[in-house]
Amino acid sequence: MQTLDEGGVAAPVKRSVLRLLLLPLVILAGMGLSVEAGLLGPLGEQVGHLWATLSIFGVGSAILFLLLLFAGPQKGPALTELPRWQLIGGFLGPIYVVVLTLATPHIGIAMTMIAILSGQVGKSVLIDHFGWFGATRKKVNGERWLALGLIVVALVLIARG
């Protein structure tokens, strides 16, 4: 028996539609990262890499603050109740942007993005496989190994080209 949501739509159907809508959005966000890398490299060279990183997080924080103001009531953060490991993302984000700012002018946007992608997919496969950070476990199968291998091949080809 399928569960229906308040609109009478079957839950699996609703999830499928949501996935179809989110995929292009995620692809566009990935394209945004390439644009960000292209903008941050020269900015870092002009004002310094740490100032460039601070500027991007400052603008992002201001936009998020405005979104919070207009989004309606939100459950506020309970930082003292969270496991400390969940706050690692706040440390990793600036590190990522500093590396992006440093690397892009020297190795190019395509090489930077495919290197980031290879690291993201490689670590994501491990996180899925072991169920780290509360993720649903998805065992690594041949298709996932092949996908990761193809990304590494892409990295090598872009590096050589």
Side-chain angles (χ1 to χ4, degrees):
M1 181 174 165
Q2 287 187 334
T3 57
L4 301 178
D5 66 6
E6 55 278 348
V9 178
V13 171
K14 192 172 184 179
R15 277 193 297 270
S16 296
V17 170
L18 183 62
R19 290 177 78 179
L20 284 173
L21 292 174
L22 286 176
L23 190 57
L25 187 63
V26 172
I27 290 169
L28 286 172
M31 290 176 177
L33 284 177
S34 296
V35 172
E36 180 181 38
L39 297 172
L40 277 174
L43 180 62
E45 303 247 323
Q46 290 175 355
V47 301
H49 302 293
L50 296 178
W51 281 111
T53 302
L54 182 63
S55 72
I56 198 156
F57 278 97
V59 169
S61 294
I63 290 170
L64 284 172
F65 179 74
L66 290 173
L67 288 173
L68 281 170
L69 283 177
F70 296 108
Q74 301 283 315
K75 182 179 179 186
L79 298 179
T80 57
E81 298 172 17
L82 294 174
R84 296 292 176 243
W85 63 265
Q86 287 184 340
L87 301 175
I88 292 172
F91 174 75
L92 295 176
I95 299 293
Y96 164 78
V97 174
V98 168
V99 169
L100 188 75
T101 305
L102 288 169
T104 303
H106 300 286
I107 65 175
I109 296 170
M111 185 69 183
T112 301
M113 290 296 110
I114 196 70
I116 286 170
L117 180 64
S118 65
Q120 287 175 331
V121 173
K123 190 59 156 192
S124 298
V125 166
L126 290 174
I127 292 169
D128 280 351
H129 180 75
F130 292 107
W132 294 336
F133 313 118
T136 303
R137 289 185 74 165
K138 286 189 161 193
K139 294 285 184 191
V140 179
N141 60 20
E143 290 173 342
R144 286 177 171 237
W145 283 119
L146 178 61
L148 185 55
L150 290 172
I151 290 170
V152 171
V153 167
L155 179 63
V156 170
L157 291 174
I158 287 176
R160 291 178 61 197

